[in-house]
Amino acid sequence: MPRRSPLALGLLGLAACLLAAPALGCGPGRGPVGRRRLGRRQLSPLLYKQFVPNVPEQTLGASGKAEGKVLRGSERFRDLVPNYNPDIIFKDEENTGADRLMTERCKERVNSLAIAVMNMWPGVKLRVTEGWDEDGHHLPDSLHYEGRALDITTSDRDRHKYGMLARLAVEAGFDWVYYESKAHIHVSVKADNSLAVRTGGCFPGHATVTLWSGERRGLADLRRGDWVLGAEPGGRLVPTKVLLFLDRDLGQRASFVAIETASPARRLLLTPSHLVFAARGAANGTATFLPVFARRVRPGDAVLAHGAGGQGLRPARVLRVSREDGVGVFAPLTSHGTLLVNGVLASCYAVLESHRWAHRAFAPLRLFHGLLSLLPARAEAGNGTAPETGMHWYSRLLYRLAGGVLGRKALQV
């Protein structure tokens, strides 16, 4: 057995004492959205006027407080997405398409529910009677005004099915389900910028990073210990080591922001609350680029792209910004906190719109892995083995602490 430096072992032991948290270190991590394992247990229908969870809708344990009406054409209106799922019938009595508009979280849940409905009752589809409300038909603080609430029935309008429909909605992952009326079930979700929702930022598995050697490698094939290209605060490209994955799940469905640029032509996909370095309008130098949430990037902005022929970073104008669903989420953490993904410079961090503070928050974790590297030989044996699936416990811990210390407003997108 190789001899180990007493100093290295002492520092490693100190870091382990500071960081080890048995209650958090072996958490299960995040599972796929709206995919609770039903197993063979018997599902029981909700009773009339019953709601799950058994707390008021606008409390932390359910869908959370209303954040104000979303008006057509406003900045927040851009965050609503249309749902054209052919397995869902939208009543759309206003003939404006408003019932199809909802938040990303609501869309994911209702699409999952649509599958459950068809499995439970072959030939029957899910029917949405009320979605986003722009006409003032609900109480002033209704979540319908934010695209976070739906009223649903089955396509055959068989009221004997509604109790079970409500139970299926609970299993699909809605944050609050209410057997509100004999005519429909009411469901709602947390805000997309809620701390309970935004459990991280990721890239899709088919995205590629640039290795130190210049080789391109897919994120699904990236391993701890690989050296990739990142950037220093001044914008100079540097090799940086992959320490671990803050999140990694090959089967997780997610909605990504697709940022397309010209000259050079690049296409970057990342989750809405992930940080990317961008500048408003034309930019001539890296100093004008600031870390912003991907969802804030607009056509006409600029991002930092890797030039052809081994050139450094250069501004690239954003041509289009769209949304795209995908499977697989990957969030590598590098020693510099940055990396090139599909040729565009991105941060390793999400949720808090400050790359500097996020990088500082992960300093203890980087220190711990730096101390691990002092141990001889066997430490690099992990390179080439598949990383664990799910969200890293340290990320989850930081999000919880940030919510308590900074407050929810500081973590809004």
Side-chain angles (χ1 to χ4, degrees), residues 74-290:
S74 67
E75 181 72 17
R76 290 175 64 203
F77 180 73
R78 299 184 181 187
D79 295 331
L80 299 183
V81 293
N83 192 333
Y84 296 111
N85 189 335
D87 297 325
I88 303 175
I89 297 174
F90 291 88
K91 186 177 180 181
D92 194 22
E93 57 189 353
E94 299 88 356
N95 201 30
T96 61
D99 288 341
R100 293 184 181 271
L101 294 175
M102 57 193 70
T103 64
E104 288 286 348
R105 183 173 178 83
C106 191
K107 180 180 178 180
E108 290 168 352
R109 269 51 182 178
V110 75
N111 285 347
S112 178
L113 177 57
I115 296 173
V117 167
M118 292 189 296
N119 289 337
M120 178 64 69
W121 302 294
V124 176
K125 291 186 177 183
L126 179 65
R127 177 172 173 259
V128 174
T129 61
E130 286 286 341
W132 175 59
D133 181 5
E134 60 178 333
D135 298 321
H137 293 157
H138 294 83
L139 294 176
D141 62 347
S142 172
L143 300 185
H144 280 284
Y145 296 121
E146 302 177 30
R148 293 166 52 192
L150 303 171
D151 293 340
I152 58 174
T153 72
T154 55
S155 60
D156 59 3
R157 307 185 199 183
D158 182 354
R159 297 186 179 185
H160 294 95
K161 293 186 173 78
Y162 290 179
M164 183 57 72
L165 175 63
R167 174 57 64 187
L168 293 178
V170 173
E171 297 299 323
F174 280 98
D175 297 303
W176 200 69
V177 178
Y178 181 26
Y179 195 163
E180 182 178 35
S181 162
K182 293 289 187 180
H184 69 261
I185 304 298
H186 176 84
V187 296
S188 62
V189 297
K190 297 178 185 294
D192 280 355
N193 58 16
S194 165
L195 179 64
V197 174
R198 295 177 298 118
T199 50
C202 304
F203 308 96
H206 57 73
T208 62
V209 295
T210 304
L211 300 184
W212 187 12
S213 62
E215 174 192 349
R216 292 289 183 91
R217 178 168 296 177
L219 278 176
D221 299 319
L222 193 65
R223 295 293 181 263
R224 178 172 59 85
D226 287 343
W227 286 82
V228 299
L229 284 182
E232 292 180 327
R236 185 172 69 92
L237 287 176
V238 292
T240 183
K241 187 177 182 180
V242 176
L243 303 177
L244 50 85
F245 280 83
L246 299 176
D247 201 353
R248 187 179 189 276
D249 193 331
L250 282 73
Q252 170 72 32
R253 294 196 63 85
S255 176
F256 297 96
V257 175
I259 300 173
E260 300 180 54
T261 69
S263 187
R266 301 286 186 264
R267 191 169 191 268
L268 173 67
L269 271 72
L270 66 175
T271 47
S273 61
H274 202 106
L275 294 177
V276 62
F277 299 93
R280 296 295 182 197
N284 298 319
T286 58
T288 59
F289 285 78
L290 298 174

